[in-house]
Amino acid sequence: MNAAIGLFLKGLAMGAANVIPGVSGGTIALITGIYERLINAIKRCDLTAARLFFSGQWKACWQHVDGQWLSILLGGVAISILSLARLFEFLLEHHERYTMAFFFGLILLSILYVARRVGQWNLPTILALIIGTSVAVGIAMLAPASQNDGVAYVFLCGVLAISSMILPGLSGSFVLILLGNYALVLGAISSFSLGILIPLALGCAFGLVAFSHVLSWVFKRYADITLAVMTGFVIGSLVVIWPWKNAITHTVERVGKPPREVVTSYEWFLPNLADGSTWLAILLMLAGAAGIALMERYVSIDNQSD
């Protein structure tokens, strides 16, 4: 029962994290030690699972996809998106700097815990760390591409967006912005445009299953290097989470809904230490770090009890 509650709480954290720009559910899954099992569970949603399901072997299908574990986790994700995520949306709209400060502290300390899972730090893992950090920072600095509603390109957007969502440190919505199709997808959801939504959904489904196979394969053969790259991704995500920045936005028109401002890039600056709000943000950073320390301690106790 305690393990199920702990897994559900991890799902809650994953769902809430997806609202924060630069933070992904994959980051929380990696921090809390469930990332590899999550990837393997997604990987098992394959042809074997389909064959078992359509032949009426539902119990075998459920066991094949690690159904009980996955349903508890995804239940937490779904409830979080419907409830807690709305709180974070409010905080981002009205208290963005303080919210980002909290998550900056959380992610900053989590880097130590993720890096600690690397079995041996040597030249290959250090290079992997540098590459992962460079890729994440480079993505954050890219200028958005122009919009493209071609079926093949929309399919590719689905593949890349869902793949980035399950990678620690990368945001699916931010990747869609860089690909130039965030406004297109937003409008398609508002108007229920099947010409966009169907290839996007097919791309997401293909990317989720295919990329989970790739991640599972590299985890088994190159665990330390994979963890080092992911640690780099998390480090690179700090560029987007840095609280002291000005967002550069453009307005997205939506069918039947008010226009929406979309962030395309940032202008970063250093905090003013003479400003009282700066010290409040720093206190929230420390609170975020304390939160991840408590979470890590709970995960360690939970793993020992299994």
Side-chain angles (χ1 to χ4, degrees), residues 15-120:
N18 282 318
V19 181
I20 309 302
V23 183
S24 71
T27 302
I28 302 300
L30 185 63
I31 293 168
T32 56
I34 61 172
Y35 189 81
E36 191 169 1
R37 186 169 179 178
L38 173 61
I39 294 302
N40 287 329
I42 295 172
K43 185 187 75 170
R44 294 192 193 110
C45 297
D46 52 12
L47 293 177
T48 300
R51 178 180 57 79
L52 291 170
F53 180 84
F54 288 110
S55 63
Q57 302 179 61
W58 296 320
K59 184 177 180 180
C61 177
W62 185 254
Q63 293 173 341
H64 176 74
V65 299
D66 203 0
Q68 182 176 348
W69 185 89
L70 196 58
S71 63
I72 294 172
L73 179 70
L74 294 182
V77 172
I79 289 175
S80 177
I81 289 174
L82 294 173
S83 57
L84 295 180
R86 294 183 181 181
L87 170 62
F88 285 117
E89 286 177 335
F90 172 83
L91 291 173
L92 280 171
E93 182 177 354
H94 298 282
H95 306 285
E96 180 182 3
R97 182 165 298 168
Y98 296 143
T99 306
M100 298 303 269
F102 177 84
F103 277 91
F104 187 90
L106 187 150
I107 299 299
L108 185 63
L109 187 61
S110 73
I111 292 168
L112 298 177
Y113 294 121
V114 175
R116 203 168 62 185
R117 293 192 172 97
V118 177
Q120 182 178 6

